[in-house]
């Protein structure tokens, strides 16, 4: 199966297609010619389309689901001690 030579951050879902689509929020592609985008792991997020990687949640925020577009603030009486929580 041959897919369009899409740059990282983009994918072509249809074999033989010449068009590339940007990976949506919460997803990324780190290689050329991707046919799908991968979801960011829990503790990571991506708030932009067309990305080749995910961003780490900083201290005081978290993401407990894959494919997150944002990290959530910890409740007032809680925090995270580690990055990528």
């Amino acid at each position: 199966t041959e897919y369009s030579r899409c740059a990282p951050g983009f994918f072509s879902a249809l074999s033989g297609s010449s068009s590339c689509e940007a990976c949506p929020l919460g997803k990324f592609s780190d290689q050329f010619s991707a046919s799908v985008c991968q979801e960011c792991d829990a503790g990571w997020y991506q708030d932009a389309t067309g990305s080749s990687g995910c961003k780490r949640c900083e201290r005081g925020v978290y993401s407990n689901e894959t494919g997150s577009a944002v990290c959530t603030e910890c409740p007032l009486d809680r925090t995270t001690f580690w990055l990528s929580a």
Side-chain angles (χ1 to χ4, degrees), residues 6-10 23 27-34 36-38 51-54:
C6 300
F10 294 82
C23 291
K27 296 186 178 188
F28 73 100
S29 170
D30 60 358
Q31 46 190 292
F32 284 93
S33 303
V36 295
C37 297
Q38 300 172 318
S51 297
S52 60
C54 297

Side-chain angles (χ1 to χ4, degrees), residues 6 8 15-16 32 40 50-51 60 67 72 81:
C6 300
S15 176
F32 284 93
C40 296
S51 297
T72 304
F81 293 105

Side-chain angles (χ1 to χ4, degrees), residues 24-30 38-47 51-57 67-68:
L25 300 177
K27 296 186 178 188
F28 73 100
S29 170
D30 60 358
Q38 300 172 318
E39 290 189 333
C40 296
D41 290 335
W44 297 75
Y45 73 103
Q46 185 45 261
D47 58 355
S51 297
S52 60
C54 297
K55 302 173 186 177
R56 184 188 323 225
C57 292
S68 292

Side-chain angles (χ1 to χ4, degrees), residues 57-62 74 78-83 85:
C57 292
E58 299 294 328
R59 287 184 182 94
V61 296
Y62 69 97
C74 295
R78 308 277 181 183
T79 190
T80 57
F81 293 105
W82 313 108
L83 297 175

